[in-house]
Amino acid sequence: MNRGKSLARSRRGGHRRRKSRRAVALEGFVALAAVVVAVLAAGAVFVRPGGGSAASGAASPAPSATAAPQAARASGGAGPEVAAASAGAKKSRDAAETASGPSKHTDVKAVTYFKKRWVTDKAVKRITDIRTVGKYLRIYTNLPESAHNSESAIDLCKRGLEYLAQEVGDQQPVVFVQAEYGQNGNPVLANILGPDDRSCRLTNPAPG
């Protein structure tokens, strides 16, 4: 009798319980979620926002520091060097046109003579340029147009006459002292028109 009960319990204990459909579905969902997480993790490791690879350790190249200036030049923009060169050329051109400073027309020998001969002379300090055009010595100043026959203009004319006589040896000196550039160009303030002219006062005909 006991043997029969034990055999019955043994047979009942030998059968496995079947899993419910709900448990099977839950296990399948968990496995699928694990696969998805693994794939996303792999993608995060090997692909970076900058386009670089974790395996190679290389990141996408940063924009070159010279990219912007090169782009500006390519689009017709001017860099600082070009702007500075342009400003220098304009200043030189203005000085040549207005005689407001040294230019390619400057008589260097005359300028040097005036600076050494009359170092402290106030009238000489008003000179902006000295040019020899043909046989004419033109002394440009920052004096106003209203300063014709003024003391400074007369003094500069006399100094120009001395320079031509003693340094150049000109027997027929012609000197023009001219005002700063304005609506009428550089008007003549005083002059000497050859050996027959005894005065530096402005004479006629008015020089061109």
Side-chain angles (χ1 to χ4, degrees):
M1 188 68 179
N2 290 334
R3 182 179 179 185
K5 292 181 180 180
S6 297
L7 182 59
R9 283 196 299 270
S10 175
R11 286 178 179 176
R12 285 196 300 268
H15 290 287
R16 296 181 178 177
R17 284 188 175 182
R18 292 184 178 180
K19 295 182 179 179
S20 66
R21 293 180 180 179
R22 185 175 181 181
V24 172
L26 181 60
E27 289 181 358
F29 178 77
V30 171
L32 179 60
V35 171
V36 172
V37 171
V39 171
L40 292 177
V45 171
F46 289 98
V47 179
R48 292 185 177 179
S53 170
S56 62
S60 59
S64 171
T66 59
Q70 288 175 352
R73 287 193 289 271
S75 62
E81 297 83 359
V82 177
S86 177
K90 184 178 184 301
K91 183 177 181 180
S92 177
R93 184 171 62 252
D94 290 346
E97 293 175 354
T98 64
S100 57
S103 69
K104 63 180 181 179
H105 307 294
T106 299
D107 186 333
V108 178
K109 181 180 178 181
V111 171
T112 302
Y113 181 86
F114 272 70
K115 287 184 176 180
K116 288 184 177 181
R117 177 73 175 79
W118 297 289
V119 179
T120 59
D121 190 277
K122 292 182 179 180
V124 171
K125 292 181 179 180
R126 305 300 297 268
I127 295 174
T128 56
D129 198 12
I130 301 177
R131 303 175 183 179
T132 298
V133 182
K135 293 183 179 181
Y136 301 162
L137 184 71
R138 294 185 178 273
I139 303 173
Y140 294 92
T141 71
N142 57 11
L143 294 169
E145 184 177 355
S146 59
H148 61 279
N149 291 331
S150 65
E151 182 180 356
S152 294
I154 298 295
D155 286 347
L156 289 176
C157 179
K158 291 179 179 179
R159 281 150 178 63
L161 182 61
E162 177 183 319
Y163 167 74
L164 291 177
Q166 298 185 8
E167 290 297 310
V168 180
D170 192 345
Q171 300 300 315
Q172 296 180 335
V174 176
V175 179
F176 296 121
V177 177
Q178 300 185 228
E180 63 184 351
Y181 187 83
Q183 293 182 348
N184 298 319
N186 299 89
V188 176
L189 303 177
N191 61 9
I192 282 287
L193 300 178
D196 296 332
D197 192 353
R198 302 293 181 180
S199 171
C200 272
R201 295 185 65 80
L202 192 62
T203 55
N204 291 316

